Amino acid sequence: PLFVTWKIGRDRRLRGCIGTFNAMNLHLGLREYAMTSAFKDSRFSPITREELSKLHVSVSILRHFEDGLNYSDWEIGIHGIRIEFVTEKGSKRTATYLPEVAPEQGWDRIQTIDSLLRKGGYKGMITNDVRLSIRLTRYQSEKMTVSYQEYRDHFCTKRC
């Protein structure tokens, strides 16, 4: 399981992030999700050539999956969380945040869960009963980030 995240600019605004919870060959997974997150994240237009020099890419390898006892059974900054829930219209949905999202946003557990519900398409009023109905899986990740310039420097060292 892995996620590829693109961020842009000095303030490192999110530019794309897509991954998978399915185990797969690392080389093939990196290739597929680097492209998918760069060009097919529906929240953003595809990354352009003009943006390359301003990009940072991160790869998060997910590990240590555990079922949470409830929606609050995880640690901010330590665990990523994946939730499964049923929308107000009866559809089953999932949503996830990597471990760094809650601390980057300054969210507590409830704010994070509520944001994840919205991300996953829950449109109704969020009550404690809704939160208690969530099935939560927590996980950890190992993350590596590289800037475009670092990539170019490394590439040039190998090829020049």
Side-chain angles (χ1 to χ4, degrees):
L2 62 89
F3 273 73
V4 177
T5 305
W6 295 94
K7 293 191 175 181
I8 192 164
R10 290 181 192 202
D11 56 349
R12 297 196 186 184
R13 294 177 319 276
L14 185 62
R15 191 63 183 80
C17 182
I18 295 181
T20 182
F21 285 94
N22 297 323
M24 62 188 323
N25 173 282
L26 183 58
H27 179 76
L28 296 176
L30 287 174
R31 173 185 235 147
E32 178 180 347
Y33 286 96
M35 300 293 283
T36 301
S37 61
F39 302 118
K40 296 183 180 175
D41 187 326
S42 62
R43 298 170 292 176
F44 304 95
S45 59
I47 289 173
T48 65
R49 181 181 306 268
E50 292 74 32
E51 293 175 301
L52 287 178
S53 65
K54 302 174 202 146
L55 290 172
H56 287 79
V57 64
S58 299
V59 176
S60 299
I61 306 297
L62 311 185
R63 58 190 177 90
H64 301 306
F65 289 85
E66 303 171 304
D67 290 334
L69 300 174
N70 57 48
Y71 72 89
S72 65
D73 187 20
W74 59 284
E75 296 297 322
I76 293 173
I78 302 293
H79 297 112
I81 54 174
R82 180 177 191 255
I83 62 170
E84 295 177 34
F85 62 95
V86 177
T87 67
E88 63 284 0
K89 293 185 178 181
S91 301
K92 195 173 193 178
R93 298 284 181 89
T94 64
T96 193
Y97 280 142
L98 296 171
E100 62 270 15
V101 173
E104 283 177 358
Q105 298 300 317
W107 293 336
D108 62 22
R109 283 188 189 91
I110 290 177
Q111 290 170 316
T112 304
I113 292 295
D114 290 359
S115 176
L116 255 186
L117 284 164
R118 295 291 184 220
K119 179 183 178 189
Y122 192 87
K123 298 196 181 355
M125 189 164 110
I126 300 173
T127 64
N128 205 46
D129 286 342
V130 170
R131 292 182 195 106
L132 289 170
S133 72
I134 291 169
R135 180 170 173 243
L136 181 134
T137 302
R138 64 185 181 213
Y139 58 87
Q140 295 177 36
S141 75
E142 293 187 36
K143 180 180 172 183
M144 174 65 82
T145 301
V146 69
S147 69
Y148 178 73
Q149 188 59 51
E150 290 167 330
Y151 168 77
R152 283 192 44 99
D153 292 348
H154 176 77
F155 184 77
C156 194
T157 301
K158 297 285 185 196
R159 305 270 284 206
C160 298

